[in-house]
Amino acid sequence: MSDDASKQTKGQSLWGGRFERKPAELMQAINVSIGFDQRLAAQDLQGSRAHAGMLSKQGVITSADAAAILGGLDTIEAEMKAGTFPFRDEYEDIHMNVEARLAELIGPVAGRLHTARSRNDQVAVDFRLWVKATCEHTVGQIEALQRALLGQAESHVATIMPGFTHLQPAQPVTFGHHLMAYVEMFGRDCSRFRDAIERMNESPLGAAALAGSPYNIDRRLTAATLGFCSPTANSLDSVSDRDFALEALSAASICAVHLSRIAEEIVIWTTPQFGFISLTDAFTTGSSIMPQKRNPDAAELVRAKVGRILGALTQLTVVMKGLPLAYSKDMQEDKPPVFEAFDALDLSLAAMAGMIADLTPNTERMAAAAGAGYSTATDLADWLVRTLDLPFRQAHHVTGQTVKRAEQLGVGLAEMPLHELQAIEPRITTEVFSVLTPEASVASRMSYGGTAPVRVREQVERWKERLG
Ligand code: ARG
């Protein structure tokens, strides 16, 4: 057995050729990453298989050696599936754990797998594969949430609710229209993830440590085998770039912001004071002391997750800031924030899709609230413009006086006696009452993208087609 092979079987470091003593325990403690980077196990095997296949095809290693390596990697995969693979701290990270185990299984030929490769390009390709697959998964999850929103929106294209600005009643809208706003937001999130996927779709494998490789490797082949469009074009950039992770975290953060906004609306809407929607027992919890309570915990937790996700973006941005080219060990700290953020996003998207499907709007309550707060005041002003040809500013003023008088009388605009209206503007006729209901207000908002039920239905149809 060669020196290296005996070192490996004795559990010493794979890089220990020039070292005489083992590292201090503290050195190992700070260096070890297997606790978290074992999540890259599948990608590490994928990368190694592509690399071994290419080395053999290029004649860098023999096909017999490649076959032994690929056989060993299959055994390792089976051990991982069975939960018997020994993840060991003394081998630091996932890459050296796999290589050490390979040596135990197939002997010194295992050492040929690392020809024309470094852990620097290895980790870069593994992590890219993971982030790319996760972005693709996230797109699917966002689309599932969009479908849940579309389902509710379709049932409620004409369900009246108050629209708000400053969380003050502004103008009536439909519940379907309100939900479709989120369909748009999540649509942009999908497009951001797709965009990021396109940019990260290059393989860093073969950049080796930093300068490229002297072997006759075929980087196009490994890129294609791994599902990338092309190899990365600069070896230094290949091993020191983590933009793909930063972009994924940026897209995740914006998506989490959107989730927190709809979560906040659910929290508000389920209060007895609003009472716009109810959630079933499936998505609420009780209080251990107050028996009457039904708390929207899932919505609150989704609202909070943005903290973790945005925190992860900040964390990785700070890790990367100021790093000289090329690889630095700082970059090992790239994985925990990404894993944490996407675990949180995964759960949040699923929980939100669940809540949206679960909720029932209290349509009477929403309609009543839509009529309150003089929400059709703008419709009165618009009527004065259209029918009496008042300049909008003047119509705004007349309407303001009308609201003031209605407040004094304690009635809504639609209940104002005609003579009271005429005392403010003598040319007002009974025709005005046809625009003062929330239904009329909503139906009149026919401009493209407006809340008129026909327009909302059009958008629902457009998105149904788009989501397939
Ligand atoms: N575990 C390391 C990481 O995640 C792998 C790369 C180590 N490279 C090195 N030159 N020490 O970044």
Side-chain angles (χ1 to χ4, degrees):
M1 212 183 240
S2 77
D3 247 19
D4 267 2
S6 74
K7 251 183 197 163
Q8 287 173 24
T9 49
K10 275 191 226 140
Q12 283 170 22
S13 166
L14 295 186
W15 42 252
R18 60 162 293 185
F19 288 77
E20 279 166 13
R21 281 188 293 148
K22 286 181 75 169
E25 267 179 33
L26 267 174
M27 177 64 221
Q28 284 189 329
I30 197 168
N31 210 24
V32 67
S33 59
I34 189 62
F36 54 83
D37 67 16
Q38 57 181 273
R39 269 184 90 162
L40 297 178
Q43 290 74 20
D44 200 67
L45 293 175
Q46 205 187 342
S48 287
R49 284 181 175 128
H51 187 64
M54 179 277 293
L55 290 180
S56 149
K57 178 148 183 292
Q58 295 298 101
V60 179
I61 62 174
T62 65
S63 52
D65 286 350
I69 289 168
L70 292 172
L73 294 174
D74 287 348
T75 308
I76 288 173
E77 184 172 43
E79 288 180 344
M80 285 175 175
K81 283 205 174 119
T84 57
F85 182 86
F87 291 104
R88 287 167 288 189
D89 280 359
E90 64 262 37
Y91 292 119
E92 267 180 57
D93 58 20
I94 183 62
H95 324 294
M96 293 201 292
N97 265 273
V98 168
E99 197 181 324
R101 183 71 187 136
L102 192 62
E104 287 167 1
L105 291 168
I106 66 170
V109 69
R112 295 197 185 276
L113 174 59
H114 215 52
T115 315
R117 184 177 80 171
S118 148
R119 272 189 297 155
N120 297 349
D121 59 337
Q122 192 179 354
V123 72
V125 78
D126 291 2
F127 198 31
R128 245 182 222 245
L129 285 167
W130 192 94
V131 172
K132 194 179 140 195
T134 302
C135 287
E136 279 156 4
H137 168 77
T138 306
V139 167
Q141 273 196 308
I142 298 174
E143 287 178 347
L145 171 56
Q146 286 181 299
R147 283 195 189 92
L149 287 161
L150 268 180
Q152 289 281 9
E154 191 170 24
S155 315
H156 295 288
V157 284
T159 301
I160 307 282
M161 73 176 283
F164 297 88
T165 61
H166 313 265
L167 199 57
Q168 304 288 331
Q171 293 171 351
V173 295
T174 74
F175 188 53
H177 195 53
H178 195 117
L179 296 179
M180 290 304 289
Y182 285 100
V183 171
E184 292 291 330
M185 287 148 86
F186 291 118
R188 291 194 294 276
D189 290 326
C190 278
S191 116
R192 264 182 285 274
F193 277 111
R194 287 206 182 94
D195 207 38
I197 289 168
E198 202 173 302
R199 237 183 325 276
M200 72 179 73
N201 213 352
E202 295 181 338
S203 169
L205 189 61
L210 74 164
S213 171
Y215 294 93
N216 177 30
I217 58 173
D218 184 348
R219 293 193 57 211
R220 279 193 180 77
L221 175 60
T222 47
T225 311
L226 294 171
F228 290 106
C229 283
S230 59
T232 47
N234 180 295
S235 61
L236 294 167
D237 180 46
S238 308
V239 292
S240 55
D241 166 48
R242 292 295 181 269
D243 287 3
F244 59 94
L246 289 172
E247 280 195 50
L249 288 175
S250 309
S253 297
I254 298 174
C255 182
V257 168
H258 294 157
L259 283 167
S260 80
R261 295 180 74 176
I262 194 166
E264 168 76 355
E265 306 232 57
I266 291 174
V267 171
I268 293 173
W269 291 344
T270 51
T271 57
Q273 288 77 6
F274 267 76
F276 283 7
I277 60 165
S278 22
L279 292 170
T280 71
D281 295 356
F283 281 97
T284 46
T285 58
S287 155
S288 55
I289 178 168
M290 297 165 283
Q292 85 285 10
K293 295 270 275 185
R294 180 189 279 285
N295 295 327
D297 295 42
E300 295 168 89
L301 288 163
V302 169
R303 185 174 59 182
K305 294 284 185 202
V306 65
R308 263 177 213 254
I309 297 168
L310 188 60
L313 172 61
T314 308
Q315 229 177 303
L316 184 56
T317 306
V318 174
V319 166
M320 295 308 295
K321 184 208 161 288
L323 283 189
L325 300 188
Y327 177 86
S328 295
K329 196 61 175 258
D330 309 51
M331 289 165 71
Q332 179 164 284
E333 291 285 309
D334 57 359
K335 292 167 228 37
V338 171
F339 293 153
E340 191 183 1
F342 279 95
D343 286 347
L345 188 63
D346 183 69
L347 202 51
S348 302
L349 284 165
M352 185 52 73
M355 278 187 279
I356 295 298
D358 182 74
L359 68 81
T360 315
N362 183 347
T363 53
E364 278 165 31
R365 180 102 187 186
M366 288 202 290
Y374 306 103
S375 64
T376 55
T378 321
D379 298 276
L380 172 57
D382 288 335
W383 185 89
L384 295 168
V385 170
R386 275 198 319 260
T387 317
L388 305 183
D389 199 27
L390 294 190
F392 185 78
R393 273 293 148 240
Q394 200 183 328
H396 187 284
H397 188 74
V398 168
T399 305
Q401 287 179 307
T402 311
V403 167
K404 193 173 160 200
R405 183 68 187 135
E407 254 174 354
Q408 285 167 353
L409 296 171
V411 297
L413 287 180
E415 290 87 53
M416 278 282 274
L418 183 62
H419 71 268
E420 290 285 354
L421 293 171
Q422 287 174 339
I424 299 163
E425 168 50 65
R427 286 178 294 161
I428 293 180
T429 66
T430 49
E431 198 199 303
V432 75
F433 292 110
S434 68
V435 302
L436 296 182
T437 64
E439 288 73 17
S441 169
V442 157
S444 74
R445 298 293 192 286
M446 288 284 284
S447 53
Y448 181 77
T451 195
V454 279
R455 290 284 168 268
V456 179
R457 188 170 298 286
E458 276 169 14
Q459 293 303 322
V460 169
E461 292 307 324
R462 181 173 72 93
W463 273 103
K464 274 169 75 178
E465 214 163 281
R466 229 170 120 172
L467 290 173

